[in-house]
Amino acid sequence: MHPDTTDIALRRCVFAVSVLRDIDLIPGRDGVELSGTPAIQVSWDELRRAAAGVDPESTDGHDNVARWLQQRRWVAGRHRSELREAARPVGLPAGHALHPGDDWPRERVLGDALDLGLGFVGADPAQPEAVVILPPALLVAAAVDVTWCWQDARRYLDRMATLAMQRWTRAPGQVLRPMGDCDVVTLLGSAAFRAALCTESGGMRAMVVPMRTRGWADLSHIDPAFAIAAAAASSPADRGFERGLLVTPDEVVLALAGGRPHEVALRGSAVDLPQHLRPVLYHR
């Protein structure tokens, strides 16, 4: 918790969020009441968690608290069946900028590189087709049954993985792209999809997924420095794996760090020039 997260700072934050972000709420002794149907009571302790460890009177603090209140309002306005229908699987590399922490993963793929957890489509009014990760603590506070939601999300991943497998079978070696609401990193969370990728490669495939929306499983035409450069050029939210992967039906393993792939093109001599044509200052 940030040292400036006092009761007074939280109250100032709530007033600022109400005015600047146009969120209808009524502050009270025990917390705030979000207007609407149904009305929602959000305690001050919950708002401290919403601040996510930053100064609640900072811009980041306002953003965190406003996002939390908007998402609480969205969840409360959905029937349990609607939440299950909106549930989607999300795959993220360990340590990713969007990764909510150790309480979020519902599955961890062997290899310690890929986690799978819950997201919800439509939770962001500004991007109704985007899949949004809601903090686990928010779902607990909203009394959402994440077990049933995850079962529906897992079935959705199986369906999208089947379609992605069929696409790969028709044209092996193609660029990997999202299928439905599952990006490439999420599709790698399916053991069946990983098995399809490894069918013609002896049970293991080296690949790169530098962006969440693109992946390459045929590395014969990929520059060794491409994955590193593409990942660095992507925004933290859109970034995939910063290094290459070794994928089997059971595991997703991040390649070891090290080496200088950007120098590979400079190591070999493209042309063995005669001595009298070499770039030296004087010739004898």
Side-chain angles (χ1 to χ4, degrees), residues 91-101 113 115 133 185 210 212 235-242:
L92 290 175
H96 193 271
L98 296 180
H99 199 299
D115 291 337
I133 298 173
V185 176
R212 295 173 65 197
S235 68
D238 295 331
R239 189 170 299 153
F241 296 94
E242 297 181 353

Side-chain angles (χ1 to χ4, degrees), residues 163-234:
L163 295 176
M165 289 162 52
Q166 294 172 354
R167 183 171 62 186
W168 171 262
T169 302
R170 289 194 300 269
Q174 64 183 302
V175 177
L176 299 176
R177 301 176 185 274
M179 180 63 70
D181 290 324
C182 294
D183 58 33
V184 178
V185 176
T186 303
L187 289 173
L188 285 178
S190 165
F193 182 64
R194 297 194 301 270
L197 293 176
C198 298
T199 298
E200 299 179 357
S201 58
M204 177 182 291
R205 180 177 287 277
M207 57 188 300
V208 294
V209 186
M211 298 158 281
R212 295 173 65 197
T213 57
R214 293 292 184 273
W216 286 263
D218 181 4
L219 302 185
S220 60
H221 300 94
I222 298 294
D223 188 288
F226 170 76
I228 296 175
S234 302

